[in-house]
Structures are given as structure tokens and as C-alpha cells.
Amino acid sequence: MATQSSNSPQTPAADNDYTMMRRVMVESQLRPSDVNDPVVVSTMAITPRENFVPESRKATAYMDRAVPLDVGGRVLNPPLAAGLMLDRAEVRHDDNALVIGSGTGYLAALLAPLIASVVALEENEVLSEHAVSGFETVANITPITGELIKGYSAGKPYSLIIIDGAIEHLPEAIIRQLKDNGRLLTGIMEDNVTRLAIGHRKNDTFGLKPFIDSDIMPLPQFAASKSYSF
């Protein structure tokens, strides 16, 4: 008689393994790095990160490193990068957010239970299709396929924008999509070092301030001209 493989993600044993992996991720990666916002920790403890990576890479979904998505050189950034950005964002239940470079949708899925609405912007159609299949039961995520560097002006203004990758250049068009007093979180590249940064738009002024080094991966769509620097 045929038996179901014990390492299939559909088996109870595998479900228990992923639950344990999420618990270990919280205790060994998030809490030691001061990701302590209870709503952030709670959503990361229950969101199945393994559903947002290729089948062949599910076993590595919770490791403290980027997971290749096997499409266009893109990756799912390390859990800690997501946790630190969400923690520093100080998410509010009435936030309307834009996630740029949403990939397979993990960061949007983390945000969705915590805020009013999420626009998940991705330009790679294969990744967008993966994300859409995972959003079927989530009413407040709107998946959009389009150019990352343009943002998504139809949904503006946003109280929160998160760029899920490291950038060298932040287009003015994206800043203009942020509400007054809105927050923008992103990775940045400075002298070949990647860091996380936060900025607030106030009275039409905006500036990014790095707050911690991070292994967040670059988004080539946001490469800078040689004359540009943060």
C-alpha cells in the first residue's frame, strides 16, 4: 500500500515541523535582534513562510538567509529583514500600505492582518502569479503587476510604503505617493553595505535615515546613476 511521504508539506508531521521552525525563527532570530512588537511577532509566528518559496526550497524557508525564488535572480529576503522593517514601521490598524517588490507575497501577507489594506506591487509576472494564488483568502490585499520604480499612484496616498529590497536610488514619484506624516521603509546600499532605513514625509520634505545593517538583497530596478547618493 502506498504511503504519503513524510516530508510532504501536506502531512501533519510536516505541518508540525514548520510550526516548530517558525517558533525557532522567532526565538533565535527575531527576539535577539529586538523585534519585540507583539503584533509583528504574532503575525510572523503564524504566517506560513514555506508557502512563499519554491517547493524544492521549503526546508530552508526559515533559515536566517535569503531564499532564491528561481525566477529572474530574485529572492525572498531573510525573515529578520522583514521583522525589523515591520517593527520599526509601527504599523497601525488604519494603515493603507504599498509593498514594492512584493515577489511571492510574504511581506504583504504579514502586513494584511495588521492593517486596513495592502497593495502588493510586483513586475515579474511569474512571481505575481505565485502571490495571487496565495492571496485568495485575504480580502484586503490587492496584487498589482507593474514597474517597481513607478510605484502605484492609483492607490495613493499611502500611510506606509515598504520596498522589499535594497535600493541605490529612491524615485521622487514614489515619495509623492506617501501621505503627509507617512512612513517609508526600505533597504539601501551604501558603499557596498546594505542597511535598513526609514523616512517620513513631512510638509513635502523627505529624508531616509539608516537604522541597522541588514542582509536584505538589492533590487536592480533601483540602481543609481553614478552621480546619485543618499
Side-chain angles (χ1 to χ4, degrees):
M1 180 175 65
T3 58
Q4 189 173 25
S5 171
S6 63
N7 60 6
S8 167
Q10 302 303 317
T11 65
D15 289 342
N16 290 336
D17 287 345
Y18 290 129
T19 299
M20 181 183 67
M21 289 178 188
R22 284 193 288 276
R23 186 179 304 118
V24 171
M25 175 189 70
V26 168
E27 297 302 328
S28 67
Q29 297 178 41
L30 304 185
R31 293 196 187 281
S33 299
D34 294 327
V35 179
N36 293 314
D37 186 324
V39 296
V40 173
V41 172
S42 293
T43 193
M44 294 191 72
I46 63 174
T47 302
R49 184 175 163 90
E50 69 274 10
N51 290 352
F52 298 91
V53 299
E55 186 72 28
S56 62
R57 300 188 185 275
K58 289 183 181 292
T60 66
Y62 293 95
M63 292 185 178
D64 186 19
R65 67 187 188 200
V67 180
L69 297 176
D70 300 338
V71 177
R74 295 286 294 279
V75 302
L76 177 60
N77 282 305
L80 182 56
L84 287 167
M85 286 198 291
L86 293 179
D87 187 272
R88 185 58 66 96
E90 298 181 345
V91 294
R92 303 187 294 259
H93 66 87
D94 60 347
D95 274 327
N96 61 312
L98 171 64
V99 177
I100 298 175
S102 58
T104 52
Y106 178 64
L107 189 54
L110 291 174
L111 267 175
L114 310 180
I115 66 177
S117 64
V118 182
V119 172
L121 176 65
E122 176 52 52
E123 68 182 36
N124 185 290
E125 293 184 1
V126 175
L127 297 180
S128 291
E129 289 174 4
H130 185 128
V132 168
S133 67
F135 294 159
E136 291 177 350
T137 60
V138 185
N140 64 335
I141 299 180
T142 303
I144 298 293
T145 303
E147 292 184 69
L148 303 188
I149 61 171
K150 293 182 179 179
Y152 185 64
S153 61
K156 72 176 185 180
Y158 303 98
S159 59
L160 175 64
I161 295 177
I162 300 180
I163 302 175
D164 195 11
I167 67 174
E168 295 180 326
H169 168 61
L170 180 59
E172 183 67 27
I174 291 176
I175 297 172
R176 289 198 299 268
Q177 293 172 23
L178 197 61
K179 285 182 179 179
D180 193 41
N181 294 318
R183 301 96 70 209
L184 186 148
L185 281 292
T186 184
I188 61 173
M189 294 185 66
E190 295 182 319
D191 300 323
N192 296 318
V193 176
T194 53
R195 299 182 170 95
L196 300 181
I198 185 170
H200 297 79
R201 185 179 183 188
K202 294 184 179 179
N203 300 321
D204 291 326
T205 63
F206 180 85
L208 280 173
K209 183 178 180 181
F211 60 89
I212 195 168
D213 290 358
S214 173
D215 290 331
I216 192 168
M217 300 299 290
L219 282 172
Q221 295 88 342
F222 293 91
S225 65
K226 292 183 180 180
S227 62
Y228 183 90
S229 62
F230 284 108

